[in-house]
Amino acid sequence: MTRSVYVTGIDRGDGRQVVELGVMELLTRQVDRVGVFRPLVHDGPDRLFELLRARYRLAQDPATVYGMGYEEASALQAEQGTDELVSVLVDRFHRVARDYDVVLVLGTDFADTQLPDELSLNARLANEFGASVIPVVGGRRQSAQSVLAETRNAYRAYDGLGCDVLAMVTNRVAREMRDEIAGHLADRLPVPCWVVPDEPALSAPTVAQIAQVLDGKVLLGDDAGLARDVLDFVFGGAMLPNLLKALTPGCMVITPGDRADLVVGSLAAHSAGTPPIAGVLLTLNEEPGEEILTLAARLAPGTPVISVTGNSFPTAERLFSLEGKLNAATPRKAETALGLFERYVDTADLSKRVSAPSTDRVTPMMFEHKLLEQARSDKRRVVLPEGTEERVLHAAEVLLRRGVCDLTLLGPQDAIRKKAADLGIDLGDSLLIDPATSELRDAFAEKYAQLRAHKGVTVELAYDVVSDVNYFGTLMVQEGLADGMVSGSVHSTAATIRPAFEIIKTKPEASIVSSVFFMCLADKVLVYGDCAVNPDPDAEQLADIAVQSATTAAQFGVEPRIAMLSYSTGTSGSGADVDKVREATELVRLRRPDLMIEGPIQYDAAVEPSVAATKLPGSQVAGQATVLIFPDLNTGNNTYKAVQRSAGAIAVGPVLQGLRKPVNDLSRGALVQDIVNTVAITAIQAQAQSPAR
């Protein structure tokens, strides 16, 4: 029977979308086929489903997601009774359930539904669906006593109606009351109750949402600027010095359109990062002259300036009633929501309680989820030398919002802050260090000179070398000021990894540094090595690459079954290239008799069971290899790119192995998610190389 989880509430305004998104995240970590069902829906777009569909690449037909509209449900209930309404919705639920391993059910929203006793309807639907229930209680603007009473009453209500209550979530409580409420609830309910504080950034509208609601005209601003959260409103009517004192981070400045001084002054403050603002809203349908707009665009590129027709007072009334929503157009809010959920909900416990049916399939999304979860379990600090690169900053925001690791960004501090402000990115408590002016530069120069004295490097020469961001970042790792480093989005592979060869060096048991790619296919993850570092390894080096790759595979949850690839299988071929692979295979067997390995073997025999049955019957590896070792860089690099493009695989890497401490290289075409994954991998490597902290 298909497992289903029903997220519901007791009243409107509980912010349960955070919980629905968090539960979806957990379910997609466990199984590949997750369906969504919303029994009742309002007219208009379903923002949450569109977010789930975009974020989790759902292939589900939207027409199957919804049971029926509220108006239709109300009429059916009035005419034929609740039993008929429930019968129709149960039938439509099972049409979805038969196609999926698990279904997430999104309960009714208690907002203008015209349904009597909505809580009982949700409870009955959950029971008829065979779904376990997670009730969500909203605590915004309530006292601690009120929140405690409502939470207990909600549990009793759903439990009393026969529901299988998995857990309770009390959401949007005042941050200062969160620990008190959690402590009181800890032993007072028979199921866990997780208490999540209110997060202003989630209820804050974006600049784009404000422009849409007010029918504003965007005079300046790019997509990144329009996606900024508006955390506060500051009304400009005073002289500029007084306005500047009133500015707060993430605020929107609202001023008559003829106050050019306030427009320019606000944007100048943003450019200086004191503080970064969300944008400027001009009232009275007044627009600054062309010369002012040109100056504004130069001062704060990308920062929105919007013009509306009304005056400041009615505009303010509409703004203060506006609340931001999670949807597909606000991916940064989704990251904030997931970070909040994962911080305050025991996701390991909830995963066990949900207990979706297990599967041997490992999809790319499941692999990526596991990376972030594993990195988050023991947070490490990763240094990013390319601190002013836009993709790196976007990745840093995702990593920080999800609580994956701590970060240090290198580069001119003012330039990093300005770039982050222009992109609307909050770097939180990340460390910003400029190698050129850092107090660490002298000590690093002495250290580097010592390490390279045999090459004639003096302290004076070293002083110049360590101002390079990659050398500086590598020395931070070497000296324990960071646990790992990721670079390469704008630097060459040589510029990224040469400092590691010179400073960190190889592990005692490793003869060379090599690399692997995690190739995320539709239903499994394979490990390819070496596709990025060693052009033509000899037999000894090839054996080292195989052992290192098996260790890396196991570290990331891939059971190592090693295929030593060649153009022949078994004893069918001969020649120097095949002999090299055969010798390397024997060396691995001698060094690590515990590893399952086959070689020489052709690619098709390594991964396709039907071919393996013919060419190498009875082999433990043939047909089910997970670690594929290529005989040279030419073969490996071309193969991984061919599989990536032809099979639509996601290639995560290259992941360097054999170094004493983790340093990883990015492709210069790396996407934001590639950077996020590589940083997570680096943090996990750091966990393995030093004790838990």
Side-chain angles (χ1 to χ4, degrees), residues 163-414:
C163 293
D164 173 27
V165 180
L166 281 182
M168 300 287 298
V169 178
T170 302
N171 192 31
R172 304 188 79 180
V173 303
R175 193 168 286 272
E176 62 272 14
M177 298 191 308
R178 188 263 161 200
D179 291 346
E180 176 191 354
I181 293 170
H184 279 294
L185 289 171
D187 301 318
R188 286 172 169 78
L189 294 175
V191 298
C193 182
W194 295 299
V195 182
V196 181
D198 196 24
E199 173 53 62
L202 286 177
S203 55
T206 64
V207 177
Q209 289 171 335
I210 289 175
Q212 182 180 18
V213 167
L214 299 180
D215 195 24
K217 178 182 178 182
V218 179
L219 305 178
L220 295 174
D222 57 20
D223 289 343
L226 292 168
R228 296 177 191 173
D229 294 325
V230 179
L231 303 178
D232 193 9
F233 299 105
V234 174
F235 291 86
M239 298 300 290
L240 180 60
N242 292 324
L243 173 71
L244 294 178
K245 294 176 184 177
L247 297 181
T248 57
C251 72
M252 172 165 273
V253 177
I254 302 170
T255 181
D258 58 1
R259 290 296 303 271
D261 59 326
L262 302 186
V263 175
V264 172
S266 300
L267 295 175
H270 171 87
S271 179
T274 55
I277 65 173
V280 178
L281 186 67
L282 306 177
T283 60
L284 300 178
N285 203 28
E286 292 278 350
E287 298 181 14
E290 190 64 32
E291 67 281 0
I292 296 297
L293 289 176
T294 300
L295 176 60
R298 290 177 178 172
L299 277 172
T303 299
V305 176
I306 298 167
S307 174
V308 297
T309 57
N311 63 38
S312 297
F313 184 73
T315 298
E317 284 189 310
R318 297 182 69 185
L319 289 176
F320 284 126
S321 63
L322 182 62
E323 188 166 297
K325 301 291 184 184
L326 284 171
N327 58 50
T330 58
R332 291 164 62 192
K333 284 187 185 297
E335 299 294 350
T336 300
L338 286 171
L340 196 68
F341 182 85
E342 290 161 345
R343 179 176 178 184
Y344 292 102
V345 172
D346 186 341
T347 54
D349 185 20
L350 183 55
S351 292
K352 292 177 184 176
R353 290 173 178 273
V354 169
S355 61
S358 62
T359 176
D360 293 330
R361 288 167 57 88
V362 180
T363 67
M365 188 175 298
M366 292 165 71
F367 182 71
E368 290 176 354
H369 289 334
K370 185 174 181 179
L371 288 181
L372 300 189
E373 186 176 27
Q374 192 172 344
R376 190 186 298 113
S377 67
D378 180 15
K379 287 176 69 173
R380 298 303 168 113
R381 178 170 293 278
V382 178
V383 59
L384 306 177
E386 297 158 328
T388 57
E389 165 58 30
E390 182 172 327
R391 290 166 294 159
V392 170
L393 288 169
H394 280 300
E397 182 179 40
V398 173
L399 291 160
L400 293 170
R401 290 190 180 217
R402 299 293 300 278
V404 175
C405 62
D406 297 318
L407 296 175
T408 298
L409 285 84
L410 302 186
Q413 294 177 15
D414 290 343

Side-chain angles (χ1 to χ4, degrees), residues 19 83 86 272 342 345 474 519 528 551 580:
V19 180
D83 287 350
V86 171
E342 290 161 345
V345 172
T474 304
M519 301 299 295
Y528 284 10
T551 301
K580 178 180 78 170

Side-chain angles (χ1 to χ4, degrees), residues 6-10 14 16 105 107-108 110 122 133-137 158:
Y6 197 118
V7 181
T8 183
I10 61 171
D14 53 27
R16 88 183 72 145
V105 185
T108 67
F110 295 85
N122 280 288
V133 177
I134 302 176
V136 181
V137 176
Y158 280 102

Side-chain angles (χ1 to χ4, degrees), residues 44-109:
D46 184 343
R47 296 184 182 90
L48 182 67
F49 175 67
E50 291 304 317
L51 170 61
L52 297 178
R53 183 166 68 160
R55 183 176 184 88
Y56 299 104
R57 307 164 200 153
L58 303 183
Q60 184 177 354
D61 181 354
T64 68
V65 172
Y66 310 111
M68 66 178 69
Y70 279 104
E71 289 187 9
E72 181 187 357
S74 183
L76 180 60
Q77 187 178 38
E79 294 171 8
Q80 301 185 47
T82 301
D83 287 350
E84 181 61 22
L85 171 63
V86 171
S87 176
V88 172
L89 292 176
V90 168
D91 181 61
R92 293 178 183 177
F93 165 77
H94 284 296
R95 292 180 194 173
V96 174
R98 67 191 179 197
D99 294 327
Y100 296 94
D101 299 318
V102 64
V103 177
L104 172 63
V105 185
L106 312 176
T108 67
D109 59 13

Side-chain angles (χ1 to χ4, degrees), residues 577-611:
D577 292 337
V578 180
D579 292 342
K580 178 180 78 170
V581 174
R582 186 174 288 116
E583 181 184 349
T585 303
E586 292 307 316
L587 287 171
V588 173
R589 287 181 174 138
L590 287 171
R591 295 178 190 174
R592 292 288 304 276
D594 57 305
L595 291 174
M596 290 185 286
I597 187 169
E598 192 71 68
I601 186 171
Q602 291 161 290
Y603 191 99
D604 58 349
V607 300
E608 177 52 51
S610 62
V611 177

